[in-house]
Amino acid sequence: QVQLVESGGGLVQTGDSLRLSCAASGPTFSSTTMGWFRQAPGKEREVVAAIIWTGGNTYYTDYADTVKGRFTISRDNAKNTVYLQMTSLKPEATANYYCAAVTGRTTTSRLVYAYTYWGQGTQVPVSS
């Protein structure tokens, strides 16, 4: 069982930066694929970024086109934590942001159903 707890959300203005954190429990974090998703009111949950385990201590990152170049996903295995650094925030980024995890590797890291564990979410309102 993996528990995920997000933090770092809050009201920001257009153009601001914000870093979200997701603390994970469990002994297998280093071999876990982690993702960040978001869900705006009235919309479906969508992937923002993922950091996919490929074996050993190697990972690769993947980003939604809408955030590529502005958002960065990273992880600190010593702290069992994954981060989402967001820059140049826009009002359309307003959403609840969720951390997700699946043990091992996946080829479907952009899909909600690929993940087994989810956090409760953290709100990120971006004012114009």
Side-chain angles (χ1 to χ4, degrees):
Q1 187 75 12
V2 174
Q3 292 185 328
L4 305 173
V5 179
E6 302 99 335
S7 61
L11 178 64
V12 294
Q13 295 184 336
T14 298
D16 282 353
S17 298
L18 193 67
R19 190 178 79 160
L20 304 181
S21 300
C22 172
S25 65
T28 60
F29 180 77
S30 62
S31 59
T32 299
T33 290
M34 303 295 297
W36 282 100
F37 287 74
R38 66 187 179 188
Q39 188 166 17
K43 295 188 177 181
E44 294 185 353
R45 193 168 297 190
E46 63 178 7
V47 69
V48 175
I51 184 162
I52 301 107
W53 181 67
T54 59
N57 286 321
T58 60
Y59 308 87
Y60 75 91
T61 56
D62 186 40
Y63 296 91
D65 289 344
T66 52
V67 306
K68 201 170 292 183
R70 297 186 298 113
F71 290 14
T72 303
I73 188 171
S74 62
R75 64 193 297 156
D76 185 336
N77 289 341
K79 296 182 178 180
N80 276 23
T81 299
V82 64
Y83 303 97
L84 183 68
Q85 178 68 50
M86 304 184 290
T87 64
S88 302
L89 281 162
K90 305 175 182 179
E92 50 264 42
T94 294
N96 281 337
Y97 284 73
Y98 297 90
C99 177
V102 58
T103 302
R105 67 190 73 186
T106 177
T107 59
T108 55
S109 61
R110 292 192 174 198
L111 302 179
V112 170
Y113 71 73
Y115 294 84
T116 310
Y117 305 101
W118 291 85
Q120 293 299 307
T122 186
Q123 291 189 358
V124 179
V126 183
S127 65
S128 57

